[in-house]
Amino acid sequence: MDYIIAKSIVSNYKEDNNWFGANYTMNIYKGCCHGCIYCDSRSDCYAIENFDNVRAKENSLDIIRKELKSKRKKGVVSTGSMSDPYNPFEKKYNLTGRALEIINENGFGIEIATKSDLITRDVEILKRIKEHSPVICKLTITTMDDELCKKIEPNVAVTSKRFKAIEKLSSEGIYTGVLLMPILPFINDSEENIISIVRMAKKCGAKFVYPLFGVTLRNNQRDYFFKALDKNFYGVKEEYLNVFGYEYLCLSPNANYLYKILSDECKKLDILYKMKDIVEDYKKGYFNEQISLFDI
């Protein structure tokens, strides 16, 4: 594990955060070795050199402890926005797990996004945080097919393992759901895939499924994505160029139809799928604050 110097890790407070109602962000690691072909964090605008190499921020736990103690407002801390907090190194170094202990000691809530089933290791500390503050865990699911998963997310826990993690967290009373994104045009944007994921989410106790029926592509990330398409999905790159050119947001041609399919299935199964509803639900009973949110 290599380390990099960081002066700050926990962001400043935000009152109105449109992304799952988090008030702070916290990224202990820089870079990611998951190798997901669609990852926007690889883009030049984030200035992450050697993105595929994971590095930890030096003295991260001391910095987090100091910064949380200095915060005047309690709130929900988000992790997983730029790199997965449960990358393979986390199993040995336990930086995310120990950061959760500090979050608990200081009375903050937590919002976690991950593609790893290692998150289940920390179920007991998540339960302790839940006693005083909101907790929400989001596991990315893009396809029901483990073999397809290996092509688009080559170095992470396959879909079936992630669903088992959702089931474990949910059975322990942790508010957990699915980030259904990105749904890649011409690859996994089928009605069968969407319905299967929603139904499995329900079976595993998920509270929500939040979707994006498309993918974002810019500068060097687009080049990385297109090379992966040429390797594993012959002819699909040409479809992207013909339909989207060099647009940033590449929505599935079936996006509106798929959203209707998803919303109908979620309503039938009593699963949330709108941001506003999800945030209100997981924060219910904790904070008395007014949050400006968006619907899709």
Side-chain angles (χ1 to χ4, degrees):
M1 167 67 72
D2 293 327
Y3 290 87
I4 55 175
I5 296 174
K7 293 182 179 179
S8 178
I9 294 178
V10 183
S11 70
N12 293 327
Y13 181 87
K14 285 187 178 181
E15 185 74 32
D16 299 325
N17 190 331
N18 289 336
W19 190 249
F20 289 94
N23 307 109
Y24 301 95
T25 59
M26 175 191 77
N27 288 292
I28 296 172
Y29 296 98
K30 192 169 186 177
C32 186
C33 57
H34 286 343
C36 302
I37 68 173
Y38 51 73
C39 183
D40 186 60
S41 296
R42 191 179 284 106
S43 300
D44 284 341
C45 62
Y46 299 113
I48 303 177
E49 296 181 4
N50 301 315
F51 178 77
D52 295 292
N53 296 328
V54 177
R55 290 136 287 168
K57 295 176 181 177
E58 200 169 42
N59 301 317
S60 58
L61 300 178
D62 291 337
I63 295 172
I64 291 168
R65 182 178 288 106
K66 180 180 178 181
E67 291 186 323
L68 289 183
K69 285 183 177 179
S70 70
K71 301 297 184 186
R72 297 181 63 183
K73 291 186 177 182
K74 302 296 183 185
V76 176
V77 179
S78 171
T79 188
S81 58
M82 294 300 297
S83 61
D84 198 311
Y86 291 98
N87 62 70
F89 296 97
E90 171 63 19
K91 188 171 185 178
K92 176 179 178 180
Y93 293 96
N94 195 28
L95 296 177
T96 297
R98 286 186 283 170
L100 292 178
E101 297 282 358
I102 296 169
I103 286 169
N104 179 53
E105 292 165 7
N106 287 276
F108 287 78
I110 186 68
E111 175 221 306
I112 301 174
T114 184
K115 296 185 181 83
S116 174
D117 55 348
L118 181 58
I119 188 175
T120 59
R121 178 201 65 187
D122 293 332
V123 67
E124 292 304 321
I125 182 59
L126 292 172
K127 288 164 69 174
R128 292 200 294 275
I129 296 172
K130 179 175 175 279
E131 291 176 3
H132 56 76
S133 299
V135 172
I136 180 170
C137 295
K138 305 167 296 176
L139 278 85
T140 298
I141 303 286
T142 58
T143 173
M144 281 298 296
D145 184 344
D146 280 356
E147 293 307 310
L148 177 57
C149 173
K150 292 174 184 177
K151 292 181 179 180
I152 61 179
E153 301 156 345
N155 303 323
V156 300
V158 293
T159 297
S160 56
K161 289 185 177 180
R162 278 179 253 172
F163 268 123
K164 288 180 181 178
I166 291 172
E167 186 173 32
K168 170 64 176 176
L169 292 167
S170 298
S171 69
E172 295 286 350
I174 303 301
Y175 198 97
T176 308
V178 170
L179 282 181
L180 182 61
M181 59 179 70
I183 295 300
L184 305 174
F186 318 120
I187 295 177
N188 59 344
D189 58 339
S190 70
E191 176 180 346
E192 179 186 5
N193 186 45
I194 303 307
I195 290 178
S196 297
I197 289 173
V198 173
R199 290 178 179 174
M200 182 59 71
K202 177 65 176 182
K203 183 178 180 180
C204 293
K207 298 290 188 182
F208 64 90
V209 176
Y210 188 73
L212 172 62
F213 296 111
V215 63
T216 57
L217 298 175
R218 51 186 160 192
N219 51 58
N220 64 308
Q221 163 51 20
R222 179 184 286 105
D223 295 338
Y224 188 94
F225 181 70
F226 281 172
K227 287 178 181 177
L229 294 185
D230 282 339
K231 179 181 178 181
N232 290 309
F233 304 98
Y234 179 77
V236 174
K237 180 181 76 174
E238 285 67 31
E239 290 192 72
Y240 271 78
L241 290 171
N242 290 335
V243 175
F244 307 115
Y246 287 87
E247 293 179 16
Y248 167 62
L249 179 59
C250 305
L251 290 176
S252 168
N254 301 321
N256 290 335
Y257 174 71
L258 293 176
Y259 184 76
K260 185 179 186 307
I261 292 295
L262 175 128
S263 59
D264 288 347
E265 195 70 18
C266 285
K267 289 174 185 175
K268 183 170 69 175
L269 298 176
D270 195 25
I271 296 178
L272 301 178
Y273 61 95
K274 292 183 178 180
M275 182 67 73
K276 181 177 183 295
D277 296 337
I278 296 167
V279 175
E280 287 181 351
D281 199 37
Y282 93 88
K283 285 191 171 185
K284 186 167 52 184
Y286 290 105
F287 295 146
N288 229 350
E289 58 186 2
Q290 188 68 34
I291 301 175
S292 174
L293 298 163
F294 64 85
D295 280 346
I296 62 171

